[in-house]
Amino acid sequence: MPDPFADLLLRLRQEAGRTQEEQAEAINAVSGRDTMTRREISRYENFENIPTNHTIGHIAAACGVPFEELQREAKAARARKRKGHADAGEEQDAVKRRTLLGSATIGVSVAAEPWGRLAFALSKGAKIDSPAAAALIDRAAELHVQELNLSARRLQKTVESHLDAITAALPRAGDHEGALTIAAGETAALAGWVAWDLGEHDKANAYYKVTSQCAAAAGHPPLRALALTYSSYGALTPKAKMEFLSQAANDVRGHGNATAAAWVLGRRAEEAAAAGDEVGALRALDRARFAYDFADHASEQAWVRFVTPYRMDSLALSVYGQLRRPELTSTADTAVDRLGDGLPDGGVVVLGDLASALLRGGDVDQGVYVSRQFVAAAEAKPNTMGKERASTIASSLPDSEQELGRHLRKFAS
């Protein structure tokens, strides 16, 4: 007769809508190791083997159920296996299992996705050591830099795997809970940005929501600013974009937030320019540049490491190009000089914004020239923002550049 614990594992997998192979992959994503196999899942579900407590933790995280309750069921199953028959109190245990499954009906449905596992883990607490916590936090910071030179598709799996690793560690965070919660939120926000870039808008919004939950849990408003600023790109109306960015600006006030403030204000300038608010756009851009004078993007919050001088150049180019301001020429010269002969991380973004700004500003010949440079750079060194810029450039090209426009639209799709 099948054991109740084996049946429980089977039902948890089925509730998550996974095959045995997919269940193994989900557990491997949580553990950060490629050790679980479809065969081992089958052995668990046929009661040929019982997972260790270490593996139980990964199964619980992958299925969105409490570790302690799943561990209790495994302990009872080991006792039954030793005795060779069910305990006399089996009916009471069956009630407990039904309760566990019932509490998981919502959790499991979202636990199939990384943001669901993170949301479930936020309320837990235990201990991991300092080196492990530091490694997870540092890795979160590195991912925000990788965004500058990896495509969204290549970056997505890496980001979501790291989010799973932090999620698995969070219930044992102990004194590191606050820092790991912030790192989890930073990683979730980047996962949302990558998802949005890939057209997975519902997934992106789910990631941004859990980022805000992390910000609240850690008492760290700048983290919410990250989610709001990313969200502003996908907001449906100019008013909604500015509301997101206004709240984000409030969240990054104060010491230690200069780089974040510069980015948020730069985005406000971009959106104000897009809405035709020249005075508001120029004022926000001046404030962004002033904040950046006091910034150190390499030592503030982990996620601001992508806000390099190149990124600030691209924001200024976007604003001046949309407004057709005379400052565009000198800003373009500065941006090109900063890029130098090579193409640094973030250079694709600058070339894209420069091409778009020149075309919008009326310098068509130079805009087409830079557009061709952008195409070569974007294909050689793609990043998560290349497609959006390709589409914008294509829409601004003159009719004589139809072939280039078709190429850019194909790249953007």
Side-chain angles (χ1 to χ4, degrees), residues 221-222 224-225 228 243-254 257 261 264-265 268 287:
R224 183 173 65 162
L228 288 168
E243 286 175 351
F244 283 151
L245 292 168
S246 294
Q247 179 60 64
N250 289 330
D251 286 340
V252 293
R253 289 181 175 178
N257 298 325
V264 173
L265 290 166
R268 286 185 69 178
R287 291 177 62 196

Side-chain angles (χ1 to χ4, degrees), residues 342-365:
L343 187 67
D345 292 344
V348 174
V349 176
V350 177
L351 286 174
D353 282 331
L354 177 56
S356 180
L358 289 169
L359 291 168
R360 286 173 170 173
D363 192 344
V364 176
D365 290 342

Side-chain angles (χ1 to χ4, degrees), residues 76-373:
R78 292 188 192 100
R80 288 193 295 273
K81 200 171 184 68
R82 285 194 299 270
K83 293 179 183 179
H85 58 80
D87 290 338
E90 182 59 38
E91 182 57 34
Q92 182 177 355
D93 287 341
V95 172
K96 291 179 180 178
R97 279 188 294 278
R98 285 196 296 271
T99 302
L100 176 59
L101 279 166
S103 66
T105 54
I106 297 176
V108 169
S109 66
V110 296
E113 301 290 353
W115 69 78
R117 291 191 286 274
L118 174 56
F120 177 80
L122 283 173
S123 62
K124 303 301 176 183
K127 294 182 179 180
I128 65 169
D129 58 26
S130 296
L136 288 167
I137 293 167
D138 289 345
R139 177 60 172 158
E142 292 171 4
L143 290 173
H144 280 275
V145 177
Q146 287 190 21
E147 183 219 357
L148 296 172
N149 54 27
L150 289 180
S151 67
R153 186 64 66 190
R154 289 181 60 193
L155 187 57
Q156 186 175 51
K157 186 174 182 179
T158 301
V159 173
E160 292 188 342
S161 294
H162 186 62
L163 183 56
D164 273 327
I166 298 180
T167 301
L170 199 54
R172 304 183 300 282
D175 293 340
H176 309 289
E177 183 176 0
L180 274 180
T181 300
I182 292 171
E186 291 168 344
T187 307
L190 181 56
W193 171 246
V194 172
W196 181 82
D197 193 49
L198 292 170
E200 300 168 349
H201 296 159
D202 289 343
K203 180 187 283 191
N205 289 333
Y207 276 127
Y208 295 149
K209 181 177 180 180
V210 82
T211 299
S212 295
Q213 291 174 338
C214 288
H220 190 64
L223 182 55
R224 183 173 65 162
L226 172 59
L228 288 168
T229 307
Y230 274 149
S231 296
S232 69
Y233 284 95
L236 297 179
T237 66
K239 181 180 179 181
K241 292 174 185 285
M242 294 304 290
E243 286 175 351
F244 283 151
L245 292 168
S246 294
Q247 179 60 64
N250 289 330
D251 286 340
V252 293
R253 289 181 175 178
H255 180 71
N257 298 325
T259 307
W263 178 52
V264 173
L265 290 166
R267 280 287 300 130
R268 286 185 69 178
E270 258 192 323
E271 294 302 336
D277 180 6
E278 183 169 0
V279 173
L282 295 177
R283 182 184 298 121
L285 184 59
D286 284 343
R287 291 177 62 196
R289 286 175 153 173
F290 180 78
Y292 202 71
D293 286 341
F294 296 91
D296 184 355
H297 74 277
S299 65
E300 296 175 18
Q301 294 95 349
W303 57 268
V304 301
R305 297 186 190 184
F306 75 89
V307 190
T308 62
Y310 307 109
R311 186 74 184 95
M312 294 304 296
D313 284 344
S314 72
L315 287 168
L317 288 167
S318 176
V319 171
Y320 291 143
Q322 291 184 87
L323 296 176
R324 297 182 176 234
R325 294 284 301 185
E327 295 94 328
L328 175 60
T329 301
S330 60
T331 304
D333 290 341
T334 299
V336 170
D337 288 343
R338 201 190 307 275
L339 287 176
D341 295 330
L343 187 67
D345 292 344
V348 174
V349 176
V350 177
L351 286 174
D353 282 331
L354 177 56
S356 180
L358 289 169
L359 291 168
R360 286 173 170 173
D363 192 344
V364 176
D365 290 342
Q366 188 67 8
V368 170
Y369 173 74
V370 177
S371 295
R372 295 188 182 281
Q373 289 184 306

